[in-house]
């Protein structure tokens, strides 16, 4: 069984500027077809709009303004929180 890679990623709403850090994890096996992406903890003010095992398809909704956006987009990482690729 593969270990899980855990990291933090900054979420930022492009409409209202609401920000926070999400705690996520995925399988740490580059050969795996399915990364088994999981949202372990969302910051206050953000909600899951559409859950997916693929971070490119995981949709988040801002609780402040209702704007929807993908989890995996151009964004900043918490210090030391960059995932290994």
């Amino acid at each position: 069984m593969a270990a899980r890679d855990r990291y933090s990623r900054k979420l930022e709403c492009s409409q209202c500027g609401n920000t926070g850090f999400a705690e996520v994890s995925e399988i740490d096996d580059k050969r795996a077809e399915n990364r088994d992406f999981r949202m372990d903890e969302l910051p206050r003010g953000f909600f899951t709009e559409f859950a997916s095992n693929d971070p490119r398809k995981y949709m988040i909704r801002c609780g402040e303004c209702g704007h929807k956006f993908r989890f995996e987009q151009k964004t900043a990482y918490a210090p030391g929180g960059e995932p290994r690729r």
Side-chain angles (χ1 to χ4, degrees), residues 4 12 30 32 49 53-54 57 83 85:
R4 294 196 65 81
E12 184 172 1
K30 294 181 172 109
E49 182 70 22
N53 285 339
D54 184 347
K57 295 178 183 175
R85 301 239 182 220

Side-chain angles (χ1 to χ4, degrees), residues 21-81:
F21 286 94
E23 302 295 325
V24 299
S25 62
E26 60 191 18
I27 290 179
D28 191 24
D29 182 3
K30 294 181 172 109
R31 297 170 295 177
E33 282 186 34
N34 181 358
R35 292 164 63 178
D36 192 26
F37 174 82
R38 294 182 194 162
M39 183 69 62
D40 298 328
E41 187 177 332
L42 272 170
R44 185 175 297 175
F46 291 94
F47 302 95
T48 297
E49 182 70 22
F50 177 78
S52 175
N53 285 339
D54 184 347
R56 294 170 299 208
K57 295 178 183 175
Y58 199 101
M59 297 295 292
I60 295 174
R61 182 172 46 86
C62 175
E64 299 290 319
C65 68
H67 178 67
K68 299 173 197 167
F69 58 95
R70 285 188 166 87
F71 170 79
E72 197 166 90
Q73 61 181 357
K74 291 185 178 181
T75 187
Y77 291 100

